[in-house]
Amino acid sequence: MHTLADGLRLSMNWLDNLILITYFAVVLGIAFAAKRSVSNSLDFFLSGRSLPAWVTGLAFVSANLGATEILGMAANGAQYGAYTVHWYLIGAIPAMVFLGLVMMPFYYNSKVRSVPEFLLLRFSKSSHLLSSVIFAVASVLIAGVNLYALAIVLRALLGWPLPVSIFTAGLFVLAYIVIGGLSSAIYNEVLQFFVIVAALVPLTVLGLARVGGIDGFIDKVMTGPGPGFLTAWGNTGIGQDNPLGANWLTITLGLGFAVSFGYWTTNFAEVQRSLSAKNLSAARRTPLIAAFPKMFIPLIVVLPGIIALLVQPTIGQAGSGYDYNDAIPILMRDLLPNGVLGLAVTGLMASFMAGMAANVSSFNTVFTTDIWQAYIKPHMPDQHYLAVGRAVTVIGVVVGMGTAFLAASFSNIMNYLQTLFSFFNVPLFATFILALFWKRMTAKAGFWGLLLGTVAPITFYFAYQGGLVQMGSDQDANMTASMIAFAVNMAVSVPISLATTPKTDEELDGLVYTRSAARDQGERAPGDDAWYRRPALLGWSAIVLAALCYVPFSF
């Protein structure tokens, strides 16, 4: 089992502990305040579809900014250097814009409570049940990654035993979701966003100061890891070597298309935040608002990872005692004074709870509405489903505690997380694309395409792990697996669709893409017509800004 090195143990004083305790108190206070707005299952699972866009937008990016993002992307920074910005600029922004501009009208206007429920309306019960089970499994696995990420930090930094860390942190998240439902999770995610940023900015600033500022940073990278650590596209030609071990084809098609669109457009932990918005305009703007802070996260996550490698050059090497996951804790140990240290530990706690809460709240929604209500106990009073949702939250956290240990074999937890995305999100995205844009797509094609599209990357992964397939790196294998998942799904779905009978146009009304449906603005609220709130302007501005952000890493 990989754990953070014992040499990372920190000395927390009374001020650090006070900051941490105060944060816990505020989180529980928000949960109890949110409880007053929970009177039915819609309130618990989707916040009554009543939240403003700025709240859901910050929650959208915060839900992704979990401990796995902070530790994992910093680990990627230490292992791959500037190549890691691909996960943000090509691996997030275009897909977030596509979700807001193209897919949200269909999600929101169909009044579905989850992503799998859309497949029930579009296809059949078999596709719906399969996607529900796949998503439920993926949710608890990803929740477990967040739980494991924080537990190893607490063990190393504070001396808590790993089982105690897992149990305590999981219990706390359980409390505020059960008490306040999704509203509690979302409002806490807004708070957590600011806490996380406030914790990581000092780490970046002090880290740069430690290596001699920007000029010193560049000089040390040039003489240490080498110039390849400062470019995102260098040596990415097919057959060339680079730290990432991937080429431009796997980066653009594997990460930029399959993984990225698969995650951001079908991962209900993210889509659920948009569905909680007060109207369609706010729902569309949710991922678009989130795109702007998302593209600058590398400055406080990836950059510290590279700095950690300069501070501790043996990180990730056999026998060094440090894994790539140790990048952020190394900087915390070496750079932060008491008080700021407490804020940093609180930021890691916040990031963990944001990530795990997002996956647990989406798990309880999918299990309750798409499995329990649809197939086990239909036609029950609404209060029954509200009670089941709270009970399933307990189950989700407990199972997440168990799956936390599955991440223990990965020295870079982001490698593990991307593996899960290639298994579960990419096949679902392929099914959704065909379902939305091809009326000829049938229910049988949806089921078999999704099933075999999930089996294919899992088979490839085990072939890679068994040495039957040689790849440049774990991430290269994940990108390739994602392309395989998408291709297999398409190769299975298209011929089956052509050989089976599709639904009629009347049955597909509102469930497939049409220009009129895409232009539907829904109910408008005061201020929605303001020029700076236009989804198209926000979306294309994010695309252009992301392209400009690539410039410093392209030479």
Coordinates of all heavy atoms in Angstrom, one line a residue, residues 82-154:
A82 N 4.7 20.3 -17.7 CA 3.7 21.1 -18.3 C 2.7 20.3 -19.2 O 1.7 20.9 -19.6 CB 4.3 22.2 -19.2
Y83 N 3.0 19.1 -19.6 CA 2.1 18.3 -20.3 C 0.7 18.1 -19.6 O -0.3 17.9 -20.2 CB 2.7 16.9 -20.6 CG 3.8 16.9 -21.6 CD1 5.1 17.0 -21.1 CD2 3.6 16.8 -22.9 CE1 6.2 17.0 -22.0 CE2 4.7 16.8 -23.8 CZ 6.0 16.9 -23.4 OH 7.0 16.9 -24.2
T84 N 0.8 18.3 -18.3 CA -0.4 18.2 -17.4 C -1.5 19.2 -17.8 O -2.7 19.0 -17.5 CB -0.1 18.2 -16.0 OG1 1.0 17.3 -15.7 CG2 -1.2 17.9 -15.1
V85 N -1.1 20.4 -18.4 CA -2.1 21.4 -18.7 C -3.1 20.9 -19.7 O -4.2 21.4 -19.9 CB -1.4 22.7 -19.1 CG1 -0.5 23.3 -18.1 CG2 -0.7 22.5 -20.5
H86 N -2.7 19.8 -20.4 CA -3.7 19.3 -21.4 C -5.0 18.8 -20.7 O -6.1 18.9 -21.3 CB -3.1 18.0 -22.1 CG -2.0 18.4 -23.1 ND1 -2.2 19.3 -24.1 CD2 -0.7 17.9 -23.2 CE1 -1.1 19.4 -24.8 NE2 -0.2 18.5 -24.3
W87 N -4.9 18.3 -19.5 CA -6.1 17.9 -18.7 C -7.1 19.0 -18.5 O -8.2 18.8 -18.2 CB -5.7 17.2 -17.4 CG -5.5 15.8 -17.6 CD1 -6.4 14.7 -17.5 CD2 -4.2 15.1 -18.0 NE1 -5.8 13.5 -17.7 CE2 -4.4 13.7 -18.0 CE3 -2.9 15.6 -18.2 CZ2 -3.4 12.8 -18.3 CZ3 -1.9 14.7 -18.5 CH2 -2.2 13.3 -18.6
Y88 N -6.6 20.3 -18.5 CA -7.4 21.4 -18.3 C -7.9 22.1 -19.6 O -9.0 22.4 -19.8 CB -6.7 22.4 -17.4 CG -6.4 21.9 -16.0 CD1 -5.2 21.2 -15.8 CD2 -7.2 22.2 -15.0 CE1 -4.9 20.7 -14.5 CE2 -7.0 21.7 -13.7 CZ -5.8 20.9 -13.5 OH -5.6 20.5 -12.2
L89 N -6.9 22.4 -20.5 CA -7.2 23.2 -21.6 C -7.9 22.5 -22.7 O -8.9 23.0 -23.3 CB -5.9 23.9 -22.1 CG -5.2 24.8 -21.0 CD1 -3.9 25.4 -21.6 CD2 -6.1 25.8 -20.5
I90 N -7.4 21.3 -23.1 CA -8.1 20.5 -24.1 C -8.9 19.4 -23.5 O -9.9 18.9 -24.1 CB -7.1 19.9 -25.1 CG1 -7.8 19.4 -26.4 CG2 -6.3 18.7 -24.4 CD1 -6.8 18.9 -27.4
G91 N -8.6 19.1 -22.2 CA -9.3 18.0 -21.5 C -10.4 18.4 -20.7 O -11.0 17.6 -20.0
A92 N -10.8 19.7 -20.7 CA -11.9 20.1 -19.9 C -12.8 21.2 -20.6 O -14.0 21.1 -20.8 CB -11.4 20.6 -18.5
I93 N -12.1 22.3 -21.0 CA -12.8 23.5 -21.4 C -13.8 23.2 -22.6 O -15.0 23.5 -22.6 CB -11.9 24.6 -21.8 CG1 -11.0 24.9 -20.5 CG2 -12.7 25.9 -22.1 CD1 -11.7 25.2 -19.3
P94 N -13.3 22.6 -23.7 CA -14.2 22.3 -24.8 C -15.4 21.5 -24.5 O -16.6 21.8 -24.9 CB -13.3 21.6 -25.9 CG -11.9 22.0 -25.6 CD -11.9 22.2 -24.1
A95 N -15.2 20.5 -23.6 CA -16.3 19.6 -23.2 C -17.3 20.4 -22.3 O -18.5 20.2 -22.4 CB -15.8 18.4 -22.5
M96 N -16.8 21.2 -21.4 CA -17.7 22.0 -20.6 C -18.5 22.9 -21.4 O -19.7 23.1 -21.1 CB -16.8 22.7 -19.5 CG -16.1 21.8 -18.5 SD -14.9 22.7 -17.5 CE -15.9 23.6 -16.4
V97 N -17.9 23.5 -22.4 CA -18.7 24.4 -23.3 C -19.7 23.6 -24.1 O -20.9 24.1 -24.2 CB -17.7 25.2 -24.3 CG1 -18.5 25.9 -25.3 CG2 -16.8 26.1 -23.5
F98 N -19.4 22.5 -24.6 CA -20.3 21.6 -25.3 C -21.5 21.2 -24.4 O -22.7 21.3 -24.9 CB -19.6 20.4 -25.8 CG -20.5 19.5 -26.6 CD1 -20.7 19.7 -28.0 CD2 -21.0 18.3 -26.1 CE1 -21.5 18.9 -28.7 CE2 -21.8 17.5 -26.8 CZ -22.1 17.8 -28.2
L99 N -21.2 20.9 -23.2 CA -22.3 20.6 -22.2 C -23.3 21.8 -22.1 O -24.5 21.6 -22.1 CB -21.7 20.2 -20.9 CG -22.7 20.0 -19.7 CD1 -23.6 18.8 -20.0 CD2 -22.0 19.8 -18.4
G100 N -22.7 23.0 -21.9 CA -23.6 24.1 -21.6 C -24.3 24.6 -22.9 O -25.5 24.9 -22.8
L101 N -23.7 24.5 -24.0 CA -24.4 25.1 -25.2 C -25.2 24.1 -25.9 O -26.3 24.4 -26.5 CB -23.3 25.6 -26.2 CG -22.4 26.8 -25.8 CD1 -21.5 27.2 -26.9 CD2 -23.3 27.9 -25.3
V102 N -24.9 22.8 -25.9 CA -25.6 21.8 -26.7 C -26.4 20.8 -25.9 O -27.6 20.6 -26.2 CB -24.6 21.0 -27.5 CG1 -25.3 19.9 -28.4 CG2 -23.8 21.9 -28.5
M103 N -25.9 20.2 -24.8 CA -26.5 19.1 -24.1 C -27.5 19.5 -23.0 O -28.5 18.8 -22.7 CB -25.5 18.1 -23.6 CG -24.7 17.5 -24.7 SD -23.6 16.1 -24.1 CE -24.8 14.9 -23.7
M104 N -27.2 20.7 -22.3 CA -28.0 21.0 -21.2 C -29.5 21.3 -21.5 O -30.4 20.9 -20.8 CB -27.5 22.2 -20.5 CG -26.4 21.9 -19.5 SD -26.7 20.5 -18.4 CE -28.3 20.9 -17.6
P105 N -29.8 21.8 -22.7 CA -31.3 22.0 -23.0 C -32.0 20.7 -23.0 O -33.2 20.6 -22.6 CB -31.2 22.6 -24.4 CG -30.0 23.4 -24.5 CD -29.0 22.5 -23.7
F106 N -31.4 19.6 -23.4 CA -32.0 18.3 -23.5 C -32.1 17.7 -22.1 O -33.1 17.1 -21.7 CB -31.3 17.4 -24.5 CG -31.3 17.9 -25.9 CD1 -30.2 18.7 -26.3 CD2 -32.3 17.7 -26.7 CE1 -30.2 19.2 -27.6 CE2 -32.3 18.2 -28.0 CZ -31.3 19.0 -28.4
Y107 N -31.1 17.8 -21.3 CA -31.1 17.3 -19.9 C -32.2 18.1 -19.1 O -33.0 17.5 -18.5 CB -29.7 17.5 -19.3 CG -28.7 16.5 -19.6 CD1 -27.4 16.9 -19.7 CD2 -29.0 15.2 -19.7 CE1 -26.4 16.0 -20.0 CE2 -28.0 14.2 -20.0 CZ -26.7 14.7 -20.1 OH -25.7 13.7 -20.4
Y108 N -32.1 19.4 -19.2 CA -33.0 20.2 -18.3 C -34.5 20.2 -18.8 O -35.3 20.0 -17.9 CB -32.5 21.6 -18.3 CG -33.0 22.4 -17.1 CD1 -32.3 22.4 -15.9 CD2 -34.1 23.2 -17.2 CE1 -32.8 23.2 -14.9 CE2 -34.6 23.9 -16.2 CZ -33.9 23.9 -15.0 OH -34.4 24.6 -13.9
N109 N -34.7 20.3 -20.1 CA -36.1 20.4 -20.5 C -36.8 19.1 -20.4 O -38.0 19.0 -20.4 CB -36.1 20.9 -22.0 CG -35.8 22.4 -22.1 OD1 -36.0 23.1 -21.1 ND2 -35.4 22.8 -23.3
S110 N -36.1 18.0 -20.5 CA -36.7 16.6 -20.3 C -37.1 16.4 -18.9 O -37.8 15.4 -18.6 CB -35.8 15.5 -20.8 OG -34.6 15.5 -20.0
K111 N -36.7 17.2 -17.9 CA -37.0 17.1 -16.5 C -36.5 15.8 -15.9 O -37.0 15.3 -14.9 CB -38.5 17.2 -16.3 CG -39.2 18.5 -16.8 CD -38.6 19.7 -16.1 CE -39.3 21.0 -16.6 NZ -38.7 22.2 -15.9
V112 N -35.4 15.3 -16.5 CA -34.9 14.1 -15.9 C -34.2 14.5 -14.6 O -33.7 15.6 -14.4 CB -33.8 13.4 -16.8 CG1 -34.6 12.9 -18.0 CG2 -32.7 14.3 -17.2
R113 N -34.1 13.5 -13.6 CA -33.4 13.7 -12.3 C -32.0 13.2 -12.3 O -31.3 13.4 -11.4 CB -34.2 13.1 -11.2 CG -35.6 13.7 -11.0 CD -36.5 12.8 -10.2 NE -36.8 11.5 -10.9 CZ -37.6 10.6 -10.5 NH1 -38.1 10.6 -9.3 NH2 -37.8 9.5 -11.2
S114 N -31.6 12.5 -13.4 CA -30.3 11.9 -13.5 C -29.9 11.7 -15.0 O -30.8 11.7 -15.8 CB -30.2 10.6 -12.7 OG -31.0 9.6 -13.4
V115 N -28.7 11.5 -15.2 CA -28.2 11.1 -16.6 C -28.8 9.8 -17.0 O -29.3 9.7 -18.2 CB -26.7 11.1 -16.6 CG1 -26.2 10.6 -18.0 CG2 -26.1 12.6 -16.4
P116 N -28.7 8.7 -16.3 CA -29.3 7.5 -16.7 C -30.8 7.6 -17.1 O -31.3 6.9 -18.0 CB -29.1 6.5 -15.6 CG -27.9 7.0 -14.9 CD -28.0 8.5 -15.0
E117 N -31.5 8.4 -16.4 CA -33.0 8.6 -16.6 C -33.2 9.1 -18.0 O -34.3 8.7 -18.6 CB -33.6 9.5 -15.6 CG -35.2 9.5 -15.7 CD -35.8 10.3 -14.5 OE1 -35.1 11.0 -13.9 OE2 -37.0 10.1 -14.3
F118 N -32.3 9.8 -18.6 CA -32.4 10.3 -20.0 C -32.4 9.1 -20.9 O -33.2 9.0 -21.9 CB -31.3 11.2 -20.3 CG -31.4 11.8 -21.7 CD1 -32.2 12.9 -22.0 CD2 -30.8 11.2 -22.8 CE1 -32.3 13.4 -23.3 CE2 -30.8 11.7 -24.1 CZ -31.6 12.8 -24.3
L119 N -31.6 8.1 -20.6 CA -31.6 6.9 -21.5 C -32.9 6.1 -21.4 O -33.2 5.4 -22.3 CB -30.4 6.0 -21.1 CG -29.0 6.6 -21.4 CD1 -27.9 5.5 -21.1 CD2 -28.9 7.0 -22.8
L120 N -33.5 6.1 -20.2 CA -34.8 5.5 -20.1 C -35.8 6.1 -21.1 O -36.6 5.4 -21.7 CB -35.3 5.6 -18.7 CG -36.7 5.0 -18.4 CD1 -36.8 3.5 -18.7 CD2 -37.2 5.3 -16.9
L121 N -35.9 7.4 -21.1 CA -36.8 8.1 -22.0 C -36.4 7.9 -23.5 O -37.3 7.7 -24.4 CB -36.8 9.6 -21.7 CG -37.2 10.0 -20.3 CD1 -37.2 11.5 -20.2 CD2 -38.6 9.5 -20.0
R122 N -35.1 7.9 -23.8 CA -34.6 7.8 -25.2 C -34.6 6.3 -25.7 O -34.9 6.1 -26.8 CB -33.2 8.3 -25.2 CG -32.5 8.3 -26.6 CD -33.3 9.0 -27.6 NE -32.6 9.0 -28.9 CZ -32.8 8.0 -29.8 NH1 -33.6 7.0 -29.6 NH2 -32.1 8.0 -31.0
F123 N -34.3 5.4 -24.8 CA -34.2 4.0 -25.3 C -35.2 3.1 -24.6 O -36.3 3.0 -25.0 CB -32.8 3.5 -25.0 CG -31.7 4.1 -25.9 CD1 -30.5 4.5 -25.3 CD2 -31.9 4.3 -27.2 CE1 -29.6 5.1 -26.1 CE2 -31.0 4.9 -28.0 CZ -29.8 5.3 -27.5
S124 N -34.7 2.4 -23.5 CA -35.6 1.3 -22.9 C -35.1 1.1 -21.5 O -34.1 1.7 -21.0 CB -35.5 0.0 -23.7 OG -34.2 -0.5 -23.7
K125 N -35.8 0.2 -20.8 CA -35.4 -0.1 -19.4 C -34.1 -0.8 -19.3 O -33.3 -0.6 -18.4 CB -36.5 -1.0 -18.8 CG -37.8 -0.2 -18.4 CD -38.8 -1.1 -17.7 CE -40.0 -0.3 -17.3 NZ -41.0 -1.2 -16.6
S126 N -33.7 -1.6 -20.3 CA -32.5 -2.4 -20.3 C -31.3 -1.4 -20.3 O -30.3 -1.6 -19.5 CB -32.4 -3.4 -21.4 OG -32.5 -2.7 -22.7
S127 N -31.3 -0.5 -21.2 CA -30.2 0.5 -21.3 C -30.2 1.4 -20.0 O -29.1 1.7 -19.5 CB -30.4 1.4 -22.5 OG -30.4 0.7 -23.7
H128 N -31.4 1.7 -19.5 CA -31.5 2.6 -18.3 C -30.9 1.8 -17.1 O -30.1 2.4 -16.4 CB -32.9 2.9 -18.1 CG -33.2 3.6 -16.8 ND1 -34.0 3.1 -15.8 CD2 -32.7 4.7 -16.3 CE1 -34.0 3.9 -14.8 NE2 -33.3 4.9 -15.0
L129 N -31.2 0.6 -16.9 CA -30.7 -0.2 -15.8 C -29.2 -0.4 -15.9 O -28.5 -0.3 -14.9 CB -31.5 -1.5 -15.7 CG -31.1 -2.4 -14.5 CD1 -31.3 -1.7 -13.2 CD2 -31.8 -3.7 -14.5
L130 N -28.8 -0.7 -17.1 CA -27.3 -1.0 -17.3 C -26.5 0.3 -16.9 O -25.5 0.3 -16.2 CB -27.0 -1.4 -18.7 CG -25.6 -1.6 -19.1 CD1 -24.9 -2.7 -18.2 CD2 -25.4 -1.9 -20.6
S131 N -27.0 1.4 -17.5 CA -26.2 2.7 -17.2 C -26.3 3.1 -15.8 O -25.4 3.6 -15.2 CB -26.8 3.8 -18.1 OG -28.1 4.1 -17.8
S132 N -27.5 2.8 -15.1 CA -27.6 3.1 -13.7 C -26.6 2.3 -12.8 O -26.0 2.9 -11.9 CB -29.1 2.8 -13.2 OG -30.0 3.6 -14.0
V133 N -26.5 1.0 -13.1 CA -25.6 0.2 -12.4 C -24.2 0.6 -12.6 O -23.4 0.7 -11.6 CB -25.8 -1.3 -12.7 CG1 -24.7 -2.2 -12.1 CG2 -27.2 -1.8 -12.3
I134 N -23.8 0.9 -13.9 CA -22.5 1.3 -14.2 C -22.1 2.6 -13.5 O -21.1 2.7 -12.8 CB -22.3 1.5 -15.7 CG1 -22.3 0.1 -16.4 CG2 -21.0 2.3 -16.0 CD1 -22.3 0.2 -17.9
F135 N -23.1 3.5 -13.5 CA -22.8 4.8 -12.8 C -22.7 4.7 -11.3 O -21.9 5.3 -10.7 CB -23.9 5.8 -13.2 CG -23.6 7.2 -12.7 CD1 -22.7 8.0 -13.4 CD2 -24.0 7.7 -11.5 CE1 -22.4 9.3 -12.9 CE2 -23.7 8.9 -11.0 CZ -22.9 9.7 -11.7
A136 N -23.6 3.9 -10.7 CA -23.5 3.7 -9.3 C -22.2 3.1 -8.8 O -21.6 3.5 -7.9 CB -24.7 2.8 -8.8
V137 N -21.7 2.1 -9.6 CA -20.4 1.5 -9.3 C -19.3 2.5 -9.4 O -18.4 2.7 -8.6 CB -20.1 0.3 -10.2 CG1 -18.7 -0.2 -10.0 CG2 -21.1 -0.8 -9.9
A138 N -19.3 3.3 -10.5 CA -18.3 4.3 -10.8 C -18.3 5.4 -9.7 O -17.2 5.8 -9.2 CB -18.5 4.9 -12.1
S139 N -19.5 5.8 -9.2 CA -19.6 6.8 -8.2 C -18.9 6.4 -6.9 O -18.2 7.2 -6.3 CB -21.0 7.2 -8.0 OG -21.6 7.7 -9.1
V140 N -19.2 5.2 -6.4 CA -18.6 4.8 -5.2 C -17.1 4.5 -5.3 O -16.3 4.8 -4.4 CB -19.3 3.6 -4.6 CG1 -20.7 4.0 -4.2 CG2 -19.3 2.4 -5.5
L141 N -16.6 4.1 -6.5 CA -15.2 3.9 -6.7 C -14.5 5.3 -6.7 O -13.4 5.4 -6.0 CB -15.0 3.2 -8.0 CG -15.3 1.7 -8.1 CD1 -15.2 1.2 -9.5 CD2 -14.3 0.9 -7.2
I142 N -15.1 6.3 -7.3 CA -14.4 7.6 -7.4 C -14.5 8.2 -6.0 O -13.6 8.9 -5.6 CB -15.1 8.5 -8.5 CG1 -14.8 7.8 -9.8 CG2 -14.5 9.9 -8.4 CD1 -15.6 8.5 -11.0
A143 N -15.6 8.0 -5.3 CA -15.7 8.6 -3.9 C -14.7 8.0 -3.0 O -14.1 8.6 -2.2 CB -17.1 8.3 -3.3
G144 N -14.4 6.7 -3.3 CA -13.3 6.0 -2.5 C -12.0 6.6 -2.8 O -11.1 6.7 -1.9
V145 N -11.7 7.0 -4.0 CA -10.4 7.6 -4.4 C -10.2 8.9 -3.6 O -9.2 9.2 -3.0 CB -10.3 7.9 -5.9 CG1 -9.0 8.6 -6.2 CG2 -10.5 6.6 -6.7
N146 N -11.3 9.7 -3.5 CA -11.2 11.0 -2.7 C -11.0 10.7 -1.3 O -10.2 11.3 -0.6 CB -12.5 11.8 -2.9 CG -12.6 12.6 -4.1 OD1 -12.0 13.7 -4.2 ND2 -13.2 12.1 -5.2
L147 N -11.7 9.7 -0.8 CA -11.5 9.3 0.6 C -10.1 8.8 0.9 O -9.5 9.2 1.9 CB -12.5 8.2 1.0 CG -12.7 7.8 2.5 CD1 -12.9 9.0 3.3 CD2 -13.8 6.8 2.6
Y148 N -9.6 8.0 0.1 CA -8.2 7.5 0.2 C -7.2 8.6 0.2 O -6.2 8.7 0.9 CB -7.9 6.4 -0.8 CG -6.4 6.0 -0.8 CD1 -6.0 5.1 0.2 CD2 -5.5 6.4 -1.8 CE1 -4.7 4.7 0.2 CE2 -4.2 6.0 -1.7 CZ -3.8 5.2 -0.7 OH -2.5 4.8 -0.7
A149 N -7.4 9.5 -0.8 CA -6.5 10.7 -0.9 C -6.4 11.5 0.3 O -5.2 11.8 0.8 CB -6.9 11.6 -2.1
L150 N -7.5 11.8 1.0 CA -7.4 12.5 2.2 C -6.9 11.7 3.4 O -6.1 12.2 4.2 CB -8.8 13.1 2.6 CG -8.7 14.0 3.8 CD1 -8.0 15.3 3.4 CD2 -10.0 14.3 4.4
A151 N -7.2 10.4 3.4 CA -6.8 9.6 4.5 C -5.3 9.5 4.6 O -4.7 9.5 5.7 CB -7.4 8.2 4.4
I152 N -4.6 9.3 3.4 CA -3.2 9.2 3.5 C -2.5 10.5 3.9 O -1.5 10.5 4.5 CB -2.6 8.7 2.1 CG1 -3.0 9.6 1.0 CG2 -3.1 7.3 1.9 CD1 -2.3 9.2 -0.4
V153 N -3.2 11.6 3.5 CA -2.6 12.9 3.9 C -2.8 13.1 5.4 O -1.8 13.5 6.1 CB -3.4 14.1 3.2 CG1 -3.0 15.4 3.8 CG2 -3.1 14.0 1.7
L154 N -3.9 12.8 6.0 CA -4.1 12.9 7.4 C -3.2 12.0 8.2 O -2.7 12.3 9.3 CB -5.6 12.6 7.8 CG -6.6 13.6 7.2 CD1 -8.0 13.1 7.6 CD2 -6.4 15.0 7.8

